């Protein structure tokens, strides 16, 4: 049981990293990775929404199955995620106006972050128990944080380096993201579930 | 049955989420700085831009943040705006918030109470100014063609149509000044540009001289203005 949880956790962070292996949540990955401060804030917000959303969607999924309404899954999950993101936004506005300003448009855009909906749907597909769901979501959130923070530090470093004119800005960022993703491919086969 | 269940499930979920968010927004409501609203309420509201900010709201925000001087509002200078702003900024912020809440966040009412409680003599608020419509402004501009003196006076006015003088637009004001029905001192935004001296000069000119100026510049206000620049 415990080893399975560890495997799920590690696999969510490294092998099936949401950004670098599943290519979900690319928008904030490129959008908020210019500064490490905002990247950390975004990672915390996304991880929080991920864990909370997957717990609530797991419970709602039981109700959906019992009522024979599995086709409502996507729309119900989107509603839950949207509500949670709104809550995070209201909370951040009160608790940390600086972070709220820094995240800007990307905060409400967590609503449409496919990583979160993807996670909720994958949890259901894999028939995870509640504990497994929480562990998987925490791993997915940390994986997202790992990718985002790694990438933001690289981008901060790149600000100081001399980059050929045609590669400046988004071009070099996309190439870097590709290389980072290829590096993460090296984790494939680390854990077999 | 499936349809009934789906509708019921979604309704319960939707209403539940709505109630949750309503509670959250009430619990985590962010209090806005009441000083901005109060400062805006004490300004003339002409949005003339003479302070250098885009509109009275922007000026109010800048004053509250200490980025603009309290004397910055030129049209409000003589009607006691700086004194009011000083009073607002000098009052303890907690007291202001309490007073603001007491008056149901109505800035005008709060300001009245604040002025009454201050005990200091502060001049009454100037009446809110009704700005002229573009049609009104244009109709008076048409009339300038028949009146060379008014046309030349119009050229040296700031032409921001702030209506602080009480006339609907700068052209209407220029016609009244040319007919000696109105005092040029009423053009408040024009003061820093020495409009009074320029108009005195224009009033001293004869009809022929005025015609000459109009012909030389083909009636272009910007060209006329250059002639009186010194």
């Amino acid at each position: 049981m415990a080893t399975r949880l560890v495997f799920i956790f590690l696999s969510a962070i490294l092998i099936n990293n949401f950004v670098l292996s599943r290519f979900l949540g690319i928008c904030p990955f490129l959008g908020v990775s210019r500064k490490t401060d905002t990247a950390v804030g975004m990672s915390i917000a996304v991880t929080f929404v991920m864990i909370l959303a997957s717990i609530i969607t797991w419970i709602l999924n039981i109700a959906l199955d019992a009522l024979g309404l599995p086709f409502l899954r996507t729309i119900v999950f989107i509603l839950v995620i949207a509500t949670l993101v709104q809550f995070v936004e209201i909370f951040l506005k009160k608790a940390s106006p600086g972070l709220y300003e820094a995240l800007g448009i990307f905060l409400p855009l967590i609503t449409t972050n496919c990583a979160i909906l993807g996670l909720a749907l994958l949890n259901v597909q894999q028939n995870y128990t509640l504990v497994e769901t929480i562990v998987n979501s925490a791993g997915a959130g940390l994986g997202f944080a790992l990718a985002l923070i790694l990438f933001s530090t690289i981008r901060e470093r790149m600000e100081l380096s001399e980059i050929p004119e045609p590669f400046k800005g988004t071009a070099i960022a996309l190439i870097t993201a590709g290389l980072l993703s290829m590096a993460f491919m090296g984790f494939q086969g680390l854990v077999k579930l | 049955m499936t349809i009934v269940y789906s509708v019921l499930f979604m309704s319960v979920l939707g209403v539940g989420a709505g109630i949750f968010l309503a509670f959250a927004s009430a619990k985590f409501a962010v209090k806005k700085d009441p000083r901005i609203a109060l400062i805006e309420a004490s300004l003339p509201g002409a949005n003339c831009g003479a302070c250098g900010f885009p509109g009275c709201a922007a000026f109010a925000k800048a004053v509250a943040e200490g980025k603009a001087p309290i004397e910055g509002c030129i049209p409000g200078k003589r009607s006691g705006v700086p004194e009011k702003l000083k009073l607002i900024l000098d009052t303890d912020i907690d007291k202001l918030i309490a007073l603001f809440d007491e008056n149901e966040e109505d800035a005008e009412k709060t300001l009245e109470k604040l002025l009454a409680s201050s005990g200091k003599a502060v001049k009454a608020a100037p009446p809110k100014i009704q700005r002229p419509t573009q049609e009104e402004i244009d109709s008076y501009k048409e009339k300038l063609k028949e009146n060379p003196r008014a046309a030349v006076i119009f050229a040296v006015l700031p032409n921001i149509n702030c209506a602080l003088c009480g006339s609907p637009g700068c052209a209407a004001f220029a016609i009244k000044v040319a007919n000696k029905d109105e005092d040029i001192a009423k053009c408040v935004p024009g003061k820093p540009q020495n409009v009074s001296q320029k108009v005195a000069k224009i009033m001293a000119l004869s009809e022929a001289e005025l015609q000459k100026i109009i012909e030389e510049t083909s009636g272009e206000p910007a060209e006329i203005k250059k002639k009186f620049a010194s």
Side-chain angles (χ1 to χ4, degrees), chain A residues 10-36:
Chain A
L10 275 182
S11 131
I13 296 183
L14 296 174
I15 303 154
N16 292 321
N17 187 294
F18 264 73
V19 178
L20 297 170
S21 299
R22 289 197 204 268
F23 307 117
L24 293 170
I26 299 292
C27 168
F29 179 64
L30 289 170
V32 237
S33 56
R34 220 160 280 160
K35 269 198 196 140
T36 310

Side-chain angles (χ1 to χ4, degrees), chain B residues 35 84-93 96 120:
Chain B
R35 288 181 307 175
K84 281 186 203 164
L85 299 194
K86 193 168 178 320
L87 179 67
I88 293 168
L89 293 179
D90 285 350
T91 311
D92 187 49
I93 182 78
L96 272 186
K120 277 179 252 167

